[in-house]
Amino acid sequence: MDLEVRNLRKTFNLSRKQRRIEHTDEKRRVAVRGLSFEAKRGEIYGLLGPNGAGKTTTLRCISTLIKPDEGDVFVDGKSVLKDSMGVRKNIAFLTNELKLDDFFTPNYLYDYFSRLHGVDEKTAEKRKKELFKRFGVDKFAEVKVADLSSGMKQKTSIAISLVHDPDFIIFDEPTNGLDVLTAKTVVDYLLELKESGKAIIVSTHILSVVEKLCDKVGIIIDGELKVSGTLQEVKAKDAKQDLENVFFSLVEESGGADRA
Amino acid sequence: MRNMWVIFKKELFRVLTDKRLVLTVFILPGLSIFLIYSIMGEVIGRQMTEDEIYTHTVYAKNMPESIKHSLEERLTFELMEGEYDKDTLEEMVREEEVELALFFEEDFEDKIEAYQAGSPIPELIVYYNQGHQHSSTAYNQFMGVMNAYHESIIRDRLADPDDYHPYLMTSENFLDERTVAARGIAMLMPMLVIIFLFVGAMSIGPDAIAGEKERGTIASLLVTPTKRRDIALGKVSSIAVLSFLSAISSFAGILLSLPRLMQFGEEMPDMGIYRIVDFVAVFAVLLTTVIFIVSLISIISTYSKTIKEANAMIMPFYFIAMIIGILNSFGAEPNQSLWVHFFPIYAPINALSGILMFEYSVINLVITLLMNLVYSGLMVYALNKMFDSEKVMFTR
Ligand SMILES: Nc1ncnc2c1ncn2[C@@H]1O[C@H](COP(=O)(O)OP(=O)(O)O)[C@@H](O)[C@H]1O
Ligand SMILES: [Mg+2]
């Protein structure tokens, strides 16, 4: 059993402030409407969709940060609703928005999260060495996060999210806002993780990320999964095998659903 | 439970290794209280000694020698040479060039001695300026002299000197030095301590919780397999310990500056009047009150999206605590009725004054301590629910 998203549905109540900002009268917004897909070990699944499509909401449900209204997610057979603690032990949630407390050093934060995950000290120490070396954090291990470059911050936060060596890795917009070099390090690392048998889900609104990274892809628009399958299968929807064409025709079909 | 410790240690590390925070949370409160009180004591003291060594300028026309001698015993002064008219002296007293101007009628004393019923009585005119401290002192001392003079004349005029006493009065003062000193301490301390507990918790709590939401670091904590109860307890206990340390700093400032503040007062408060049980009781009240205040501030900080919002929402509670503290320091007796001990903040302040004045019942103390813990327990339970609520953690 790998990772299964089953009929996921999530609705938000819109605050008055949010209604004003978005010029809308609706009190509730269905962010995700009945989403189902599967992600397998040794594969990268890409959720491709425009802004506001419901990607972050889906990934947050998978990571147990928010609870679905309907449906469920099973991570290695464990339900996010019934056994969120069990899910958390074996999952990592990364995002380009994931901030680190400025005051601490990568070294301190790594140890802190290792302890929270209950990793024993010897294993933690060994893994820290590897991860820090892999990302070049080792030279900055004792520098406060506040003084790190933004690329180094992102690499640190990846290392720190993986202290417990989880089998499932959820990454929201992995290359967003990163410089080309850091973005390449991240992409390479995700491919490495895939090779080592992890199940990975990424979300993105950038077509090239999907092309480079993903084995399977689901196109999500307005909270619904329009197509899902291997990259080849999805590309086959277009006569020229062009992912871009597939994507834009789906966006057009649903009335250019970019809200944000 | 282990993760509670991990969080606890991290929060402590965060504050204790930050020089700026150590300064503002632990050193500044004690130091500023110490300085303010010491300066206050210094100013009061200086004023008192200054009155003693200051040479007052007095103008006196026709002043009888006996009165002059008596005044010399009570006031340091120099008599002005020469003669001036009343208008000039009025001006000089107004301008604070002269502290006291006395115009005795010619042969003042002779006229009093020669007094017969119906004969005219001699006149005395006094100019002074109450708005001017030295003038006011000179006047008061002069009035002291004149009251005694007045009394001796009346006594001489009576046929039988015993007629002067319409009644016989003896009063004895059973003043207990202990209560006077205790009152002084009980007035000030509860208010200051509660205020500093709040200030301490306010400088750490919002940053530790609302700050994590504002910076976006809370999500990394929430995806770890950490029980929400451990997060709540880890945060509350670390903030409580730090606030308590901060309060102790203020407390030390009060204690150290007390002798300097009170050095010229009548009674000098001395901590030696309290027994060990009193200290234990104070400590217990403080500890449970810290937990209460920190829980309250944690709830507000968790509910808020930003540090700024949290601080704004804590303010009203801070003011309420301050008002209760100030009202208490106007020092009526501690309220002994049972029901008031169920009120948060009021009860501990009241209990602290009670303990410090040796007027408290064990049952009231127990209720105060228990209620602090019960309210805190409820709030920590709510906090635990809040950390699990996506509405609280991820609202836009
Ligand atoms: N906490 C929230 N409260 C209210 N509305 C939300 C919340 N989170 C997301 N939404 C709304 O749900 C929709 C999907 O958002 P999101 O999942 O962030 O999209 P994406 O990540 O694909 O850009 C958007 O319309 C967004 O405004
Ligand atoms: Mg998003």
Side-chain angles (χ1 to χ4, degrees):
Chain A
M1 275 266 245
D2 293 340
L3 191 152
E4 188 194 352
V5 176
R6 195 185 292 167
N7 195 25
L8 195 71
R9 190 182 168 87
K10 181 69 189 177
T11 309
F12 290 109
N13 293 323
L14 296 191
S15 65
R16 197 168 299 154
K17 187 175 149 208
Q18 200 180 348
R19 289 206 294 268
R20 200 181 54 229
I21 292 171
E22 298 185 14
H23 305 287
T24 173
D25 292 331
E26 47 177 345
K27 292 223 162 62
R28 295 167 68 74
R29 169 160 313 153
V30 187
V32 176
R33 43 190 103 215
L35 218 68
S36 300
F37 65 91
E38 257 179 78
K40 292 206 156 51
R41 285 188 166 89
E43 284 180 2
I44 299 182
Y45 186 96
L47 264 184
L48 176 66
N51 276 337
K55 303 183 294 294
T56 301
T57 305
T58 306
L59 299 192
R60 280 184 173 171
C61 285
I62 299 173
S63 316
T64 75
L65 283 172
I66 60 180
K67 292 187 189 78
D69 309 333
E70 280 173 35
D72 203 342
V73 179
F74 296 93
V75 179
D76 216 12
K78 294 183 178 110
S79 150
V80 292
L81 288 173
K82 297 202 189 77
D83 186 10
S84 53
M85 275 298 186
V87 171
R88 283 174 196 142
K89 282 184 188 140
N90 203 14
I91 205 167
F93 178 60
L94 293 98
T95 123
N96 62 304
E97 291 174 359
L98 207 64
K99 306 271 174 14
L100 300 169
D101 199 333
D102 270 353
F103 179 80
F104 296 96
T105 63
N107 198 19
Y108 188 97
L109 287 173
Y110 189 96
D111 294 347
Y112 174 62
F113 283 102
S114 282
R115 286 190 200 108
L116 288 180
H117 275 286
V119 183
D120 71 89
E121 260 180 57
K122 240 181 162 171
T123 319
E125 214 38 54
K126 187 164 160 271
R127 204 170 148 67
K128 178 164 70 176
K129 249 199 195 126
E130 285 167 16
L131 279 170
F132 277 17
K133 193 147 190 273
R134 175 69 181 76
F135 287 107
V137 179
D138 46 357
K139 291 179 226 77
F140 304 95
E142 293 299 341
V143 177
K144 283 193 178 159
V145 169
D147 301 327
L148 295 177
S149 69
S150 62
M152 195 50 69
K153 276 184 198 168
Q154 179 67 355
K155 287 189 256 183
T156 305
S157 103
I158 293 173
I160 281 168
S161 305
L162 298 173
V163 288
H164 52 311
D165 197 13
D167 290 336
F168 299 88
I169 292 151
I170 315 296
F171 208 147
D172 195 12
E173 310 268 5
T175 58
N176 230 19
L178 297 185
D179 63 278
V180 258
L181 284 180
T182 315
K184 181 166 165 26
T185 317
V186 171
V187 167
D188 289 349
Y189 190 64
L190 286 175
L191 289 170
E192 231 174 83
L193 287 172
K194 178 184 87 167
E195 292 306 320
S196 70
K198 311 280 185 195
I200 299 168
I201 300 177
V202 299
S203 79
T204 186
H205 62 274
I206 305 165
L207 289 153
S208 64
V209 171
V210 178
E211 303 247 28
K212 249 181 283 173
L213 206 56
C214 300
D215 305 291
K216 291 194 179 146
V217 60
I219 296 180
I220 177 175
I221 293 166
D222 222 356
E224 274 175 86
L225 209 56
K226 300 291 183 185
V227 280
S228 180
T230 62
L231 196 52
Q232 278 65 39
E233 283 167 0
V234 173
K235 279 183 175 177
K237 308 259 169 197
D238 177 57
K240 286 184 208 151
Q241 301 276 312
D242 188 343
L243 186 62
E244 193 169 346
N245 285 346
V246 179
F247 182 62
F248 285 122
S249 63
L250 283 171
V251 170
E252 250 157 61
E253 250 173 58
S254 43
D258 195 331
R259 286 209 199 92
Chain B
M1 233 26 187
R2 207 200 51 233
N3 278 0
M4 178 197 136
W5 269 107
V6 176
I7 294 170
F8 175 86
K9 279 193 283 193
K10 180 207 172 210
E11 297 299 332
L12 240 55
F13 180 85
R14 163 81 184 88
V15 174
L16 295 178
T17 55
D18 186 334
K19 288 200 194 81
R20 194 183 51 86
L21 276 179
V22 167
L23 192 73
T24 55
V25 179
F26 305 115
I27 302 190
L28 234 48
L31 193 67
S32 54
I33 292 190
F34 177 77
L35 287 180
I36 290 170
Y37 277 18
S38 301
I39 289 168
M40 267 168 67
E42 196 61 29
V43 168
I44 296 170
R46 192 169 294 166
Q47 208 144 57
M48 287 179 159
T49 38
E50 203 180 80
D51 272 349
E52 279 162 27
I53 54 168
Y54 181 82
T55 308
H56 298 77
T57 310
V58 176
Y59 175 81
K61 197 176 174 188
N62 304 325
M63 175 148 68
E65 277 304 304
S66 63
I67 293 179
K68 189 182 164 198
H69 284 312
S70 309
L71 189 59
E72 272 167 352
E73 275 165 26
R74 306 179 66 140
L75 188 74
T76 321
F77 67 94
E78 200 166 69
L79 281 179
M80 283 170 68
E81 305 278 330
E83 288 240 353
Y84 296 88
D85 62 14
K86 288 205 180 96
D87 287 344
T88 320
L89 273 160
E90 181 182 329
E91 200 50 40
M92 290 168 104
V93 170
R94 276 185 196 286
E95 296 300 318
E96 306 182 353
E97 288 162 29
V98 175
E99 268 85 33
L100 188 68
L102 308 168
F103 305 92
F104 290 87
E105 199 174 303
E106 241 185 305
D107 302 325
F108 185 80
E109 218 163 17
D110 294 344
K111 281 179 183 159
I112 287 174
E113 258 162 48
Y115 173 80
Q116 300 274 301
S119 68
I121 53 172
E123 197 183 19
L124 164 63
I125 295 166
V126 181
Y127 286 178
Y128 72 109
N129 179 352
Q130 200 176 7
H132 183 201
Q133 165 147 15
H134 292 307
S135 179
S136 169
T137 310
Y139 174 75
N140 288 337
Q141 295 305 331
F142 177 68
M143 285 315 286
V145 170
M146 291 316 284
N147 283 339
Y149 185 71
H150 184 112
E151 196 177 296
S152 74
I153 292 165
I154 300 291
R155 204 179 310 195
D156 285 349
R157 284 188 189 165
L158 294 170
D160 181 352
D162 283 346
D163 287 354
Y164 183 72
H165 298 290
Y167 57 86
L168 198 68
M169 182 175 99
T170 351
S171 50
E172 280 179 61
N173 186 356
F174 297 117
L175 169 89
D176 180 356
E177 301 273 312
R178 213 178 68 139
T179 27
V180 176
R183 217 162 270 271
I185 295 168
M187 240 174 71
L188 222 53
M189 208 164 296
M191 171 181 75
L192 291 173
V193 164
I194 294 290
I195 288 176
F196 286 115
L197 282 183
F198 248 97
V199 172
M202 271 161 70
S203 54
I204 307 165
D207 185 77
I209 305 183
E212 284 227 31
K213 281 172 80 177
E214 188 176 344
R215 292 186 292 266
T217 53
I218 194 80
S220 354
L221 182 58
L222 292 173
V223 288
T224 65
T226 304
K227 291 207 180 71
R228 277 35 183 164
R229 190 199 60 202
D230 286 354
I231 301 179
L233 285 175
K235 294 278 183 189
V236 168
S237 57
S238 55
I239 302 167
V241 166
L242 294 167
S243 311
F244 198 62
L245 289 179
S246 169
I248 288 190
S249 155
S250 327
F251 204 69
I254 299 173
L255 289 190
L256 290 177
S257 58
L258 224 44
R260 286 159 170 268
L261 178 63
M262 301 291 190
Q263 59 188 326
F264 302 98
E266 306 265 310
E267 311 299 335
M268 159 75 180
D270 174 7
M271 288 297 143
I273 55 178
Y274 297 111
R275 297 155 301 164
I276 300 283
V277 275
D278 301 321
F279 280 114
V280 172
V282 167
F283 187 80
V285 173
L286 285 184
L287 194 66
T288 55
T289 308
V290 169
I291 295 172
F292 173 86
I293 292 175
V294 167
S295 307
L296 177 69
I297 285 179
S298 299
I299 289 258
I300 296 172
S301 302
T302 309
Y303 183 77
S304 311
K305 290 192 206 75
T306 62
I307 298 176
K308 225 167 115 188
E309 195 184 317
N311 279 328
M313 279 170 68
I314 293 167
M315 268 306 148
F317 292 95
Y318 177 51
F319 282 128
I320 291 172
M322 215 153 67
I323 288 166
I324 294 175
I326 290 169
L327 289 180
N328 175 75
S329 75
F330 285 136
E333 301 291 305
N335 194 330
Q336 300 282 7
S337 39
L338 197 71
W339 62 276
V340 300
H341 291 84
F342 287 87
F343 283 97
I345 301 182
Y346 177 81
I349 293 180
N350 190 57
L352 281 179
S353 324
I355 297 165
L356 294 170
M357 284 194 216
F358 313 101
E359 289 170 21
Y360 69 102
S361 68
V362 174
I363 176 81
N364 285 346
L365 183 67
V366 168
I367 292 176
T368 304
L369 296 179
L370 267 181
M371 287 327 285
N372 265 345
L373 291 178
V374 167
Y375 290 131
S376 308
L378 289 175
M379 284 192 288
V380 171
Y381 180 75
L383 206 56
N384 164 24
K385 291 274 165 227
M386 286 166 86
F387 275 112
D388 211 15
S389 154
E390 59 183 72
K391 283 219 178 55
V392 176
M393 304 318 291
F394 295 103
T395 321
R396 289 206 176 161

